[in-house]
Amino acid sequence: MASILDEYEDSLSRSTVLQPGCPSVGIPHSGYVNAQLEKEAPIFTKQRIDFTPSERITSLVVSCNQLCMSLGKDTLLRIDLGKANEPNHMELGRKDDAKVHKMFLDPTGSHLLIALSSTEVLYVNRNGQKVRPLARWKGQLVESVGWNKALGTESSTGPILVGTAQGQIFEAELSASEGGLFGPAPDLYFRPLYVLNEEGGPAPVCSLEAERGPEGRGFVIATTRQRLFQFIGRVAEGAEAQGFSGLFAAYADHPPPFREFPSSLGYSELAFYTPKLRSAPRAFAWMMGDGVLYGSLDCGRPDSLLSEERVWEYPEGVGPGASPPLAIVLTQFHFLLLLADRVEAVCTLTGQVVLRDHFLEKFGPLKHMVKDSSTGHLWAHTERAVFRYHVQREARDVWRTYLDMNRFDLAKEYCRERPDCLDTVLAREADFCFRQRRYLESARCYALTQSYFEEIALKFLEARQEEALAEFLQRKLASLKPAERTQATLLTAWLTELYLSRLGALQGDPDALNLYRETRERFRSFLSSPRHKEWLFASRASIHELLASHGDTEHMVYFAVIMQDYERVVAYHCQHEAYEEALAVLARHRDPQLFYKFSPILIRHIPRQLVDAWIEMGSRLDARQLIPALVNYSQGGEAQQVSQAIRYMEFCVNVLGETEQAIHNYLLSLYARGQPASLLAYLEQAGASPHRVHYDLKYALRLCAEHGHHRACVHVYKVLELYEEAVDLALQVDVDLAKQCADLPEEDEELRKKLWLKIARHVVQEEEDVQTAMACLASCPLLKIEDVLPFFPDFVTIDHFKEAICSSLKAYNHHIQELQREMEEATASAQRIRRDLQELRGRYGTVEPQDKCATCDFPLLNRPFYLFLCGHMFHADCLLQAVRPGLPAYKQARLEELQRKLGAAPPPAKGSARAKEAEGGTAAGGPSREQLKADLDELVAAECVYCGELMIRSIDRPFIDPQRYEEEHLSWL
């Protein structure tokens, strides 16, 4: 028993596979190569379990990987297939002759019901070791159980249905709790719901299936020997605990709908196919006397769940009176019938038998077959052996079946991961649609295949289906790879030619106006399709040539817009004198290069609108690039032409703040020619600094001179600081303007005087106006009457200058008095200084023995020292060290030189005679020692280092020398 489920291939069994096989090597028309190196495994593979039972097997059930079989009449064997080496044997504890009639295992593999021939029912839980009789069930021979897949758990079954041999349907619920001697029984309740009848009265309930549908609907399918009943109803929200009583109560007054067949096997069996555990079933198969009724289950239908029903009739030798089928199981695309000596598999799509698997006589006749919905394995057994069927890739050839049935959508669904098969399906579908004259659908399918391009194209050409051919070409174009540029160019050109030819043929026909519009929309959709944009852009030159050859200017412009070839669009509008449309394109797409290229053309025809567009573009445009267009336009000299050029140049200067010299020079030229009144205002606004104006001063001077704008020339002279030229020219215009120019050189009094003399000479000699000349004297304080007198003629009398001469004399007299007062103040100041010096010679200070140096804080009298009037006292060396860093470099050098000379000078000699010689110095030895000390004192001790100017100058010096900062910083850590 250690290897109870070790599997090996049963070499003694004989099976005949009737399903069509695939060729070993094939090259279909699609271009795919299908090479099969090894023989493909069959769909159904039988394996015998290496197990020899100690007694005959009377019943076997499997669910959720849990296998239970009854051996003899009193032994139960349970095996968890995940732990096959740990089988569990249990004794039923029966002393009478009762035999196991049937066993039922719920979908979770947790609850096992054992129906005995003595109308008793036993219950065994997966986690329990006791066989517990169900007292409420006694007296009923159970034929079927409808498990509750929605509410069933490992501890409770939830409400379930029980069908008996007497035709009754009961509702019950089982609990796995074991409560000891006085604990609750496992059967919580057991109550009747309904009785199924046939023509002769109540009939055994052979099968029961309970399911939940969408929107709270529930349904129950029950079968007898000849009838299949459907109970359909809505379960109220939150009413699951009420079970099935409400569903069956609806049929208390009338029987439920049913299907009936005349023949009978004496029993029947119902099988469902469920893709996943606890999901809704999709198909059913009912084994009865006349054959197998199978089809789909549609839980959404209100009247009947069964759809697409078909009956598979038993072949000769199978059925009532011959070799009746014993059991049925349903897979996704097959149902398998169990006969006494073989298993037959029938395809539910075609109704053909695809497998006949015969069993050897030594194993005995087959008894039953079940399916484990959780794993998909099929189990069959005789009294002495157990077999298991593996279902492998059941859907592998389903696509071929659907293809033969012309159900192409389903065929494509089941071969999506097999490109060769998918290509075959698409090719067959395309051929089918072509034969049905559904040419557009055919073209879409052909485009997805690997069929020869030339053959498909010729087929549509021969059938004169240009629309379908265009659809085929478009889809082929969309499937091209980026490297296939040549093919893309050819396809785009061909498609364009097809559309243009079609549009040309329909354009002149008034009856085909709607068709023409539809074709035009399709052509435009093709040109604007994002899928084809890359190929269309690469082939835009050839497409433009085709459009031009057909004379289709409308689509030429449309295509150029799509390709963002706006230059071609604008050029087209300009050629057709649609200048406003051209400007609209430029304004919409705002491409500066296009503005530069087409502005010379547009400004001749729509100058105002173009300038508006320039202004709207703002700083996106480089005004220098537009100057050539403006120059060509304004050469005519008309006021309107010049005004538009000035308007844009003023926008550039005043709004955009352009500083480019070329722009300002051009604006100056426009002002000089067209708006002289604005010229001087512009020059004055630009300022009088030669470094801040943006125009060329020499060019401006020449331009103003050429056009005779003297005031503007005067302003330019002033900016150039050519004041003499400015005054000379201003005197030709206005004396007041000349006076303004003469006052400009404020720092150069000599030049100002010279300029005012020019004005005075002009007034006297040219205008002969004595009063104005006298006014000039009053305006300029630098001029005197004696400066102006030489300009007057000899015949002028003194009466004209009397007032000026008197004023001049008064000024001289006042000046003399001021000089006398200043001399007296200087004499008094000198006397006060002499007095202060006498007082200073008598000043002295007192030094106490305890006084210390202000720098080193050591006693002052230990070394030579300095005493300042402010009270600060320093050692001579300390003062020297404090003063040195604050001295300029040249004074530091002088200090070092004095120290060096003082150190080299001989010490003072004792005695009066020698002392006098030392004081007087020597003729050859340079300054004496006393002179050197005096120079040193003047350099070092001229003022207190703490109170003098040196301390004020050092206010911005840091407290810590930057070179010693790191050292000082580390010392604080």
Side-chain angles (χ1 to χ4, degrees), residues 533-681:
K533 184 175 182 179
E534 180 181 357
W535 306 125
L536 291 169
F537 184 79
S539 308
R540 62 187 184 279
S542 59
I543 293 177
H544 274 299
E545 291 178 1
L546 286 172
L547 291 169
S549 65
H550 283 265
D552 194 343
T553 56
E554 177 186 2
H555 287 103
M556 184 185 301
V557 174
Y558 180 81
F559 179 66
V561 172
I562 292 173
M563 292 293 105
Q564 298 182 356
D565 189 1
Y566 304 118
E567 180 178 354
R568 191 184 298 271
V569 178
V570 176
Y572 171 81
H573 287 311
C574 290
Q575 289 172 3
H576 291 78
E577 299 182 357
Y579 301 110
E580 293 185 356
E581 288 81 355
L583 181 59
V585 175
L586 291 176
R588 184 165 56 252
H589 300 288
R590 310 173 76 86
D591 186 353
Q593 298 302 322
L594 293 181
F595 270 101
Y596 301 148
K597 182 172 183 178
F598 292 100
S599 289
I601 302 173
L602 295 177
I603 199 169
R604 295 195 191 102
H605 304 280
I606 48 173
R608 183 182 59 78
Q609 296 89 327
L610 180 62
V611 171
D612 291 340
W614 286 351
I615 293 174
E616 186 178 355
M617 286 288 290
S619 59
R620 293 185 181 89
L621 292 178
D622 184 359
R624 294 175 302 174
Q625 304 276 358
L626 299 174
I627 289 178
L630 290 171
V631 169
N632 293 333
Y633 170 66
S634 60
Q635 281 179 349
E638 295 182 5
Q640 181 182 2
Q641 296 174 340
V642 176
S643 64
Q644 294 301 327
I646 290 176
R647 186 161 70 94
Y648 181 65
M649 289 292 103
E650 286 179 341
F651 169 78
C652 294
V653 171
N654 299 330
V655 179
L656 300 182
E658 282 285 352
T659 59
E660 191 65 33
Q661 190 178 75
I663 296 175
H664 286 264
N665 288 345
Y666 183 58
L667 180 58
L668 272 175
S669 68
L670 292 173
Y671 280 146
R673 285 189 299 161
Q675 293 184 9
S678 303
L679 176 61
L680 184 60

Side-chain angles (χ1 to χ4, degrees), residues 943-964:
E943 59 181 359
C944 176
V945 68
Y946 285 173
C947 303
E949 185 180 354
L950 184 64
M951 178 58 70
I952 296 174
R953 291 201 306 267
S954 66
I955 194 171
D956 59 344
R957 290 176 53 193
F959 291 108
I960 301 174
D961 189 358
Q963 297 180 353
R964 299 184 59 252

Side-chain angles (χ1 to χ4, degrees), residues 319-553:
S323 177
L326 304 175
I328 186 172
V329 294
L330 182 63
T331 63
Q332 186 177 6
F333 297 106
H334 301 83
F335 62 82
L336 285 81
L337 286 176
L338 181 75
L339 287 84
D341 60 344
R342 65 185 185 275
V343 171
E344 291 191 359
V346 180
C347 178
T348 56
L349 299 178
T350 62
Q352 298 178 356
V353 178
V354 298
L355 172 70
R356 286 195 180 96
D357 191 7
H358 294 266
F359 287 73
L360 297 179
E361 295 180 359
K362 70 173 186 176
F363 298 119
L366 292 166
K367 294 298 183 180
H368 197 53
M369 175 182 284
V370 293
K371 176 185 176 182
D372 187 352
S373 298
S374 63
T375 62
H377 294 159
L378 312 179
W379 297 79
H381 73 92
T382 67
E383 291 182 348
R384 295 190 294 273
V386 178
F387 301 88
R388 177 165 61 183
Y389 283 92
H390 290 267
V391 184
Q392 299 179 351
R393 297 178 57 230
E394 185 180 4
R396 69 182 72 167
D397 292 324
V398 171
W399 67 271
R400 198 185 305 275
T401 304
Y402 281 125
L403 182 61
D404 295 336
M405 299 166 62
N406 291 335
R407 301 181 67 176
F408 302 109
D409 292 338
L410 292 173
K412 287 183 285 188
E413 180 179 350
Y414 285 101
C415 63
R416 290 191 181 278
E417 298 180 359
R418 300 172 65 181
D420 54 337
C421 302
L422 181 60
D423 188 76
T424 302
V425 174
L426 289 170
R428 183 83 68 83
E429 181 181 9
D431 292 338
F432 177 80
C433 294
F434 193 90
R435 291 192 300 269
Q436 297 291 324
R437 296 187 178 182
R438 291 150 49 191
Y439 296 110
L440 284 177
E441 296 179 29
S442 175
R444 297 186 187 105
C445 294
Y446 274 131
L448 298 174
T449 68
Q450 299 296 322
S451 303
Y452 293 118
F453 176 83
E454 297 84 355
E455 294 181 0
I456 307 304
L458 286 173
K459 287 182 70 171
F460 287 116
L461 286 174
E462 292 173 356
R464 299 182 180 275
Q465 294 297 321
E466 289 81 4
E467 184 179 357
L469 177 59
E471 180 72 18
F472 172 69
L473 295 179
Q474 282 193 49
R475 292 183 178 268
K476 273 296 183 182
L477 179 63
S479 65
L480 290 180
K481 299 177 181 178
E484 298 174 323
R485 294 185 177 275
T486 304
Q487 294 90 324
T489 302
L490 293 173
L491 288 178
T492 51
W494 195 357
L495 277 167
T496 304
E497 180 64 30
L498 285 174
Y499 277 118
L500 291 175
S501 299
R502 182 70 171 165
L503 289 172
L506 296 174
Q507 191 170 12
D509 188 357
D511 297 333
L513 182 60
N514 292 333
L515 183 58
Y516 170 79
R517 291 175 178 172
E518 293 176 5
T519 306
R520 183 181 61 181
E521 290 302 319
R522 285 198 297 271
F523 182 39
R524 292 189 172 185
S525 299
F526 163 69
L527 293 177
S528 60
S529 173
R531 295 185 303 171
H532 306 144
K533 184 175 182 179
E534 180 181 357
W535 306 125
L536 291 169
F537 184 79
S539 308
R540 62 187 184 279
S542 59
I543 293 177
H544 274 299
E545 291 178 1
L546 286 172
L547 291 169
S549 65
H550 283 265
D552 194 343
T553 56

